[in-house]
């Protein structure tokens, strides 16, 4: 995901996102076909859907921390059996904005449990 270029719809001067489960999810797409499936359901009707092409690393390392709230990356949400979610946890987003950064292994925040 970090090295992949993702197509992220732009709306109202910002990146298109949705809130679910207390997390703001930035929605990215792996190719124009995946973006088109999304646009059919959520696009601006008969107008073209504007989008930005961004590296996954830029989204999780720069954009997510700048949002000031728990945020993650949702990829290909309109693709049946192909959606991927990268939540705001250690190892995905910078530790400073990871929701589990303060948890210890005993509390369930470590790997290998």
């Amino acid at each position: 995901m970090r090295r992949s270029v993702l197509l992220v719809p732009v709306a109202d001067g910002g990146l298109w996102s949705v809130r679910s489960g207390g997390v703001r999810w930035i929605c990215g797409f792996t190719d124009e076909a995946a973006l088109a499936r999304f646009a059919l359901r959520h696009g601006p009707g008969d107008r073209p859907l504007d989008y930005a092409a961004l590296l996954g690393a830029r989204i999780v390392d720069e954009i997510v921390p700048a949002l000031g709230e728990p945020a993650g990356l949702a990829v290909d949400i309109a693709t049946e059996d192909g959606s991927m979610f990268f939540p705001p946890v250690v190892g995905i987003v910078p530790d400073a904005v990871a929701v589990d950064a303060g948890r210890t292994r005993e509390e369930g925040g470590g790997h290998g449990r």
Side-chain angles (χ1 to χ4, degrees):
M1 172 274 298
R2 298 185 63 76
R3 294 184 187 137
S4 298
V5 173
L6 298 172
L7 309 179
V8 182
V10 177
D12 302 323
L15 300 178
W16 201 91
S17 64
V18 62
R19 285 183 176 81
S20 179
V23 175
R24 181 172 173 182
W25 297 96
I26 296 172
C27 300
F29 300 89
T30 54
D31 56 34
E32 288 183 348
L35 178 61
R37 284 189 291 276
F38 169 80
L40 286 173
R41 294 184 188 157
H42 303 285
D46 58 349
R47 296 184 331 231
L49 180 65
D50 292 330
Y51 64 88
L54 302 168
L55 280 175
R58 182 164 183 217
I59 296 169
V60 296
D61 292 343
E62 296 175 27
I63 296 169
V64 163
L67 294 174
E69 65 182 295
L73 174 62
V75 178
D76 290 344
I77 60 170
T79 302
E80 192 172 321
D81 298 328
S83 299
M84 297 172 279
F85 293 86
F86 300 92
V89 296
V90 171
I92 304 242
V93 300
D95 290 355
V97 296
V99 295
D100 65 339
R103 298 176 72 188
T104 65
R105 243 179 237 283
E106 292 77 30
E107 293 172 320
H111 297 287
R113 285 194 67 189

